[in-house]
Amino acid sequence: MGFPFQLCARAENHIRGNPDLDDTIARLQAFEQAGADVLYAPGLHTADEIREACGAVSKPVNVLAVPKLTVGEIVAAGAGRISVGGSLAWVSTAALAEAAAAIRDTGDLSALAVSLPLSDWFGQT
């Protein structure tokens, strides 16, 4: 192609109403045989599911982060990549909603006192 390129193929059946692990594995295997570089199976919820899916293919498998598992557990189960999807946006949205509810319900403005290390983040002095 003239530039570095990776094809990531997604088996989305777990997040689209068909949480059938055998079907997910069949899709991942088909994508691998078709030449995908990375395989993605969002919606796997346990280390055993991740392990079984990763063990059925030779290409790296990307897994959507599972809050009840640690990065170490997901990697130990065989994942080659972990995506957080929109989860970090929802974490910040929950903090915003909690602060807004406190202001509305009790007049508590203390959540606005958060201090971010912007100079560390942006290298400013």
Side-chain angles (χ1 to χ4, degrees):
M1 293 188 96
F3 58 90
F5 181 84
Q6 280 195 341
L7 176 63
C8 180
R10 293 171 62 120
E12 292 197 350
N13 52 308
H14 263 76
I15 61 172
R16 303 284 180 222
N18 181 20
D20 180 334
L21 186 58
D22 290 334
D23 184 50
T24 299
I25 290 170
R27 291 169 189 253
L28 295 176
Q29 290 171 333
F31 292 147
E32 180 177 38
Q33 291 169 3
D37 301 299
V38 177
L39 308 168
Y40 188 15
L44 301 177
H45 293 290
T46 68
D48 288 338
E49 288 178 336
I50 295 167
R51 189 174 297 105
E52 191 169 342
C54 293
V57 294
S58 63
K59 297 289 184 175
V61 175
N62 186 41
V63 173
L64 187 60
V66 180
K68 67 181 181 177
L69 298 175
T70 66
V71 168
E73 290 168 329
I74 294 171
V75 170
R81 261 177 44 177
I82 301 172
S83 293
V84 297
S87 295
L88 290 177
W90 291 118
V91 168
S92 64
T93 301
L96 180 146
E98 184 177 329
I103 293 168
R104 178 196 65 211
D105 297 343
T106 66
D108 180 4
L109 299 171
S110 65
L112 303 179
V114 67
S115 177
L116 300 175
L118 297 178
S119 61
D120 292 341
W121 292 355
F122 299 112
Q124 300 170 354
T125 56

